[in-house]
Amino acid sequence: MAANKVEERNQLATVYVGNIDDRATDALVWELFLQAGPVVNVYLPKDRVTQMAQGYGFVEFMTEEDADYAIKIMNMIKLYGKPLRVNKATSDKQTLDVGATLFVGNLDLAVDEKVLYDTFSAFGTIISTPKIARDPSTSASKGYGFVSFANFEASDAAIEAMNGQFLANRSITVSYALKKDGKGERHGTPAERLLAAQAGRAASGAQMPNRMFADIPPPNMPFGAGPPPAFAPSFAPPPGFVPPPMAPMGAPPGYGVHPPPPQWGTPTGR
């Protein structure tokens, strides 16, 4: 459980664990994730001054398959009443909050963060743990929550499919959440969508397709005009050359091939 640097670990076999309660220790996290597979290392960063936990950590498994299995069974499991967020360490910081945040209202009091995650993750990638508004003193649900997606395609699909649907015997309302600036504007504006589209194009345009295998003609030569003169064949058939006829299907070997002319002084077989 030594606190080695993250870069020294096998990143493919390491999971990121977020939303960890301050009371959780390295040993407790180790024992919890041991249910998914052999654990090699647990690292819970602490503040250099206060030595308080940062609320997240990394768990390295022996194999990449164990890490994938841990993501499937441990994500949204509650520890000290807080649902853990578990995903691949290599992809955790690759998601960008574009503003595709939904408000989910009229929730049954029995609906928790895991139910929200399991329900809405069917529409796309959820970039953070769904939040249920709770009473600070009793931790009881206030009947509404928030879900943030990685893109607007997923959030639009969730609104279209889930608004007015029943969840735990109550018809829920799903719409874009109000922005935190207090001006009454909701997420999902054209400006947010434009910025999200530009960010998506920048991310996808970083890698260009390989075109080295293609024969690209010179600029002044249209496609289909044949290879340039430098690649023209260096031989030509003699004048009057007629190619031999093709043999029909099922013909015996040697069909259509004329025997060579007889030579003087050699028997002809007659």
Side-chain angles (χ1 to χ4, degrees), residues 80-214:
Y80 290 112
K82 299 176 65 174
L84 298 176
R85 177 189 173 195
V86 184
N87 56 22
K88 272 295 181 68
T90 53
S91 63
D92 178 68
K93 295 184 178 181
Q94 294 179 2
T95 55
L96 176 68
D97 187 358
V98 297
T101 302
L102 301 183
F103 170 85
V104 186
N106 199 35
L107 290 173
D108 188 274
L109 299 183
V111 173
D112 59 7
E113 291 82 357
K114 179 170 174 55
V115 173
L116 276 187
Y117 182 89
D118 292 343
T119 301
F120 284 88
S121 60
F123 301 99
T125 302
I126 296 177
I127 63 173
S128 61
T129 304
K131 295 179 175 60
I132 297 286
R134 298 184 178 277
D135 185 275
S137 57
T138 64
S139 295
S141 171
K142 293 184 177 181
Y144 65 91
F146 302 90
V147 180
S148 296
F149 286 96
N151 54 67
F152 286 102
E153 290 78 5
S155 57
D156 289 342
I159 292 175
E160 182 178 358
M162 294 302 299
N163 186 39
Q165 295 297 320
F166 281 83
L167 182 62
N169 297 321
R170 295 186 69 172
S171 177
I172 63 174
T173 60
V174 183
S175 61
Y176 278 104
L178 293 172
K179 295 183 177 180
K180 295 182 180 180
D181 54 17
K183 297 181 180 179
E185 187 180 29
R186 293 185 180 272
H187 287 287
T189 62
E192 281 184 327
R193 294 174 182 271
L194 178 60
L195 291 175
Q198 292 175 347
R201 285 196 297 267
S204 62
Q207 294 182 349
M208 295 296 293
N210 177 25
R211 299 188 300 174
M212 296 301 293
F213 59 87

Side-chain angles (χ1 to χ4, degrees), residues 244-257:
M246 295 184 61
M249 184 177 298
Y255 176 87
V257 179

